[in-house]
């Protein structure tokens, strides 16, 4: 079942778009099943859960797949996350960016990161605003421990497809603006938009990553 859904989703993706299978709240068996169906990229959003899974998953799987971190990350939990992931998609403050950079310099790593942009209607949702992203990008060269690879965003949680499309249009516009403003920055090329309910819309707005959880793994059981 998990494998069939993954194949169905990936068969619809343009060549520049990758599926992040979001395995949060699902047990290791679900990750193993997805891997056996060919899935190589997973997303987790809680440090404790990620760390626990890293200890439980078979070594053979861990050598063959990558994990991205997608959730809110407190700076006192970096060591539970950064050793295990190839990308942090949810950098939402300059403080967090600075701390990830410092941790990587100390530990001899360079981490790929995305800046989370605030696009949805929900007032509590974290993320940078357009001007803040521009400010960060003016200083991108000073970070030696991170590569800023693009933007991540979550659209408004609504059935209104036009509202969702407008959110994606906004982040796509800013993504293009940053690329045009810093043409020498070759790292900045990823746009992570679209989840179970709205990834088909996100494909119309240049998603390079879609992050799909419940559509693949079902309701959360972990
Ligand atoms: C949980 C989560 C997803 C996946 O959500 P679904 O609606 O289950 O597909 C995507 N992105 C982030 C940041 C998440 O936390």
């Amino acid at each position: 079942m998990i494998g069939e859904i993954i194949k169905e989703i990936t068969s619809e993706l343009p060549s520049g778009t990758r599926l992040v299978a979001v395995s949060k709240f699902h047990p290791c068996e679900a990750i193993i099943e997805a891997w056996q169906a060919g899935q190589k990229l997973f997303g987790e959003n809680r440090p404790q859960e990620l760390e626990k899974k890293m200890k439980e998953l078979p070594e053979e799987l861990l050598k063959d797949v990558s994990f991205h971190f997608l959730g809110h990350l407190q700076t006192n939990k970096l060591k539970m996350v950064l050793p295990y992931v190839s990308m942090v998609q949810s950098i939402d403050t300059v403080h967090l960016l600075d701390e990830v950079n410092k941790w990587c310099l100390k530990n001899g790593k360079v981490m790929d990161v995305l800046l989370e942009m605030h696009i949805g209607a929900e007032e509590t949702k974290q993320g940078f605003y357009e001007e803040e992203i521009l400010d960060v990008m003016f200083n991108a060269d000073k970070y030696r421990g991170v590569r800023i690879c693009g933007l991540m965003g979550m659209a408004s949680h609504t059935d209104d497809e036009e509202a969702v499309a407008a959110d994606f249009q906004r982040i796509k516009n800013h993504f293009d603006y940053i690329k045009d403003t810093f043409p020498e920055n070759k790292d900045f090329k990823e746009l992570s938009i679209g989840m179970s309910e709205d990834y088909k819309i996100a494909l119309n707005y240049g998603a390079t990553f879609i992050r799909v959880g419940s559509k693949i793994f079902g309701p959360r059981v972990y």
Side-chain angles (χ1 to χ4, degrees):
M1 194 59 183
I2 286 176
E4 281 164 31
I5 300 168
I6 285 174
K7 284 182 185 132
E8 182 197 316
I9 295 172
T10 50
S11 72
E12 296 169 342
L13 299 182
S15 61
T17 310
R18 279 171 291 167
L19 167 66
V20 184
V22 182
S23 44
K24 67 181 186 205
F25 299 106
H26 290 276
C28 290
E29 292 71 46
I31 297 175
I32 293 168
E33 201 178 327
W35 171 58
Q36 285 167 341
Q39 181 64 23
K40 306 272 194 191
L41 178 56
F42 294 87
E44 289 283 340
N45 83 335
R46 294 191 307 179
Q48 261 100 349
E49 186 178 335
L50 173 71
E51 197 178 43
K52 185 160 179 280
K53 285 173 172 170
M54 292 302 125
K55 294 186 174 134
E56 290 173 1
L57 284 165
E59 215 164 286
E60 200 189 339
L61 179 149
L62 292 174
K63 272 191 273 180
D64 192 42
V65 308
S66 309
F67 281 83
H68 286 184
F69 193 77
L70 310 171
H72 184 60
L73 183 53
Q74 289 170 293
T75 53
N76 62 350
K77 300 207 168 135
L78 297 184
K79 64 177 184 303
M80 298 168 73
V81 170
L82 299 184
Y84 307 116
V85 300
S86 61
M87 180 180 272
V88 177
Q89 292 203 4
S90 45
I91 298 290
D92 55 359
T93 62
V94 172
H95 178 62
L96 178 59
L97 184 64
D98 288 341
E99 292 298 312
V100 171
N101 183 59
K102 254 194 254 169
W103 189 95
C104 289
L105 291 176
K106 209 191 302 173
N107 290 276
K109 244 190 156 175
V110 181
M111 181 62 65
D112 287 348
V113 303
L114 303 182
L115 304 177
E116 182 170 352
M117 183 169 149
H118 179 102
I119 51 171
E122 289 79 6
E123 292 193 355
T124 55
K125 212 158 269 177
Q126 62 255 24
F128 291 102
Y129 287 92
E130 276 93 337
E131 325 74 70
E132 297 171 320
I133 289 171
L134 190 61
D135 285 345
V136 171
M137 293 310 296
F138 273 116
N139 292 307
D141 285 350
K142 85 171 193 213
Y143 294 103
R144 303 279 165 193
V146 299
R147 264 187 299 266
I148 303 175
C149 298
L151 302 181
M152 185 271 263
M154 268 184 271
S156 306
H157 190 70
T158 167
D159 293 338
D160 180 352
E161 293 195 0
E162 282 178 29
V164 170
D167 289 342
F168 289 150
Q169 181 73 66
R170 213 180 110 206
I171 191 169
K172 167 71 168 143
N173 287 349
H174 202 53
F175 175 72
D176 289 341
Y177 172 72
I178 296 289
K179 279 210 298 195
D180 292 346
T181 308
F182 304 96
E184 71 294 344
N185 185 334
K186 301 289 181 231
D187 294 329
F188 194 92
K189 54 182 192 290
E190 307 290 358
L191 181 59
S192 177
I193 49 173
M195 303 170 37
S196 290
E197 297 302 322
D198 57 19
Y199 75 88
K200 288 186 185 173
I201 304 173
L203 295 179
N204 299 328
Y205 294 89
T208 66
F209 289 118
I210 58 167
R211 312 177 308 271
V212 180
S214 46
K215 184 178 164 91
I216 295 170
F217 296 108
R220 296 158 183 182
V221 297
Y222 199 74

